[in-house]
Amino acid sequence: MRSYTLIAPAKINLYLEIIGDRPDGYHELAMILQSIDLADQIDIKLSSPGGIRVYCNHPQVPRDKSNIAYLAAELMTTEFPTAFAKYGGVDITINKQIPVAAGLAGGSTNAAAVLVGIDLLWNLGLTQGELEELGATLGSDVPFCIGGGTAIATGRGEQLSPLPSLDGIYIVLAKYRSLEVSTPWAYKTYREKFSSSYVKDKDSLAARAAAVHSGDMVKAISHKDVKEIAQKLHNDLEKVVLPAYPKVLELREIFANAGVLGTMMSGSGPSVFAICDSKVQAEQVQSQVREIIADEDLELFVTQLTNHGIQIAS
Ligand code: C5P
């Protein structure tokens, strides 16, 4: 029975700017996305009885169609019915290490791994571009999660331009297990509060999206200037999430006072990361935060930025 083990890294947002509304109801974004070493492991194999089955070690992760990894497999069965008929269905086992509902693309990276895994199992020979196109129909972050690394993401988040690698920069990541932020809520609340400042005409939208390519963050990344990258971190969604979630704001403040190079919420939160100048500093900051917040509900990770998306482990 053929099977693959895939590594599916989480992502953080080094930059997230909300530019305006889109006709499809989503937002026009300018983001810089970054893969990190913290990853789930996905085992995927052909299943002789057919169908799709999802297993996961994490009690909060659903096994049915409400799991985007399941939807990714279902998409492949409808897109490639001949291969589905020839090879049968798939069993997917998710070993979850990435905190759920955290703004870290945990679900999206699982879906990306399923697309890559089924492409291999069914000998489809799809290109990365074809996999990204399929991924975009599942979620805005899925295309990025396939190739990973460091990239500018515009449009809904699916239009990608690769940037130089930031491999090896250390971060501390913090997330309260019991705290979840709904991404639709965060964007909806942002729209309610800030849509008066949205860019409205098409040309200005395109110009704002293009501006990120020559912006300060991209320059800092090109020079791998860690201090400058940490200074230029930006996330518009902090404007709605931090006031509504005081614990996230507190984490942000504790990190800033711990002398890190920079700190920011990732995506729609509630995870917060802090960029450090070394592994030693990251470990010290982790201990410092743990001393201040003894709450077992708070998960802390020391991890590093990485230059890859989905990888085949075996
Ligand atoms: O694409 P994805 O399923 O990850 O998006 C989750 C939610 O985030 C969407 O339903 C939408 O409310 C919001 N969103 C948005 N604009 C984007 C991406 C996401 O408004 N570009």
Side-chain angles (χ1 to χ4, degrees), residues 269-284:
S271 63
V272 176
F273 65 91
I275 299 188
C276 296
D277 60 19
S278 64
K279 186 179 183 194
V280 172
Q281 189 197 25
E283 286 170 349
Q284 280 168 354

Side-chain angles (χ1 to χ4, degrees), residues 15-292:
Y15 188 87
L16 191 163
E17 184 188 349
I18 300 176
I19 301 175
D21 269 320
R22 291 167 56 93
D24 59 10
Y26 281 65
H27 282 89
E28 202 67 38
L29 304 176
M31 299 190 287
I32 297 174
L33 302 175
Q34 173 65 56
S35 302
I36 60 175
D37 256 353
L38 180 66
D40 292 339
Q41 184 183 303
I42 312 289
D43 295 312
I44 184 161
K45 64 177 186 192
L46 291 176
S47 114
S48 39
I52 300 162
R53 266 174 301 272
V54 174
Y55 306 94
C56 185
N57 61 333
H58 194 299
Q60 261 172 284
V61 174
R63 294 162 172 216
D64 58 15
K65 289 184 188 204
S66 57
N67 186 332
I68 189 173
Y70 187 106
L71 295 179
E74 194 176 59
L75 174 70
M76 296 301 266
T77 64
T78 53
E79 288 286 322
F80 303 100
T82 314
F84 179 37
K86 179 172 174 191
Y87 294 103
V90 285
D91 283 351
I92 299 159
T93 305
I94 302 168
N95 182 334
K96 183 121 304 269
Q97 301 299 323
I98 304 169
V100 299
L104 297 171
S108 301
T109 193
N110 293 173
V114 168
L115 297 180
V116 171
I118 293 181
D119 174 48
L120 294 166
L121 286 172
W122 291 356
N123 293 311
L124 296 171
L126 298 173
T127 63
Q128 186 170 323
E130 287 166 336
L131 288 167
E132 287 173 359
E133 240 174 75
L134 289 165
T137 68
L138 296 163
S140 310
D141 287 337
V142 180
F144 169 76
C145 289
I146 293 168
T150 311
I152 297 173
T154 53
R156 255 175 66 209
E158 84 293 6
Q159 289 168 29
L160 303 171
S161 310
L163 288 170
S165 164
L166 295 176
D167 217 11
I169 294 174
Y170 274 89
I171 62 166
V172 185
L173 190 64
K175 155 92 180 25
Y176 282 98
R177 280 188 186 85
S178 61
L179 206 61
E180 291 185 7
V181 175
S182 146
T183 305
W185 169 85
Y187 278 101
K188 186 172 143 274
T189 310
Y190 191 90
R191 182 182 282 125
E192 280 161 13
K193 291 199 175 168
F194 300 107
S195 64
S196 59
S197 63
Y198 282 7
V199 174
K200 301 232 160 46
D201 73 283
K202 238 179 147 196
D203 288 347
S204 310
L205 274 173
R208 274 283 283 283
V212 71
H213 289 259
S214 52
D216 289 343
M217 179 56 102
V218 169
K219 277 188 201 129
I221 291 170
S222 307
H223 297 128
K224 206 173 175 180
D225 182 339
V226 189
K227 283 192 183 140
E228 191 62 12
I229 292 167
Q231 290 300 306
K232 298 292 181 229
L233 295 172
H234 176 83
N235 184 348
D236 274 336
L237 290 173
E238 283 201 337
K239 293 178 208 160
V240 291
V241 178
L242 296 189
Y245 292 85
K247 280 173 133 181
V248 183
L249 178 64
E250 184 198 27
L251 269 178
R252 207 46 183 75
E253 283 166 357
I254 291 172
F255 271 138
N257 292 333
V260 300
L261 297 177
T263 178
M264 188 65 39
M265 185 181 80
S266 181
S268 56
S271 63
V272 176
F273 65 91
I275 299 188
C276 296
D277 60 19
S278 64
K279 186 179 183 194
V280 172
Q281 189 197 25
E283 286 170 349
Q284 280 168 354
V285 169
Q286 183 186 32
S287 313
Q288 241 171 295
V289 176
R290 181 51 77 207
E291 264 178 42
I292 300 169

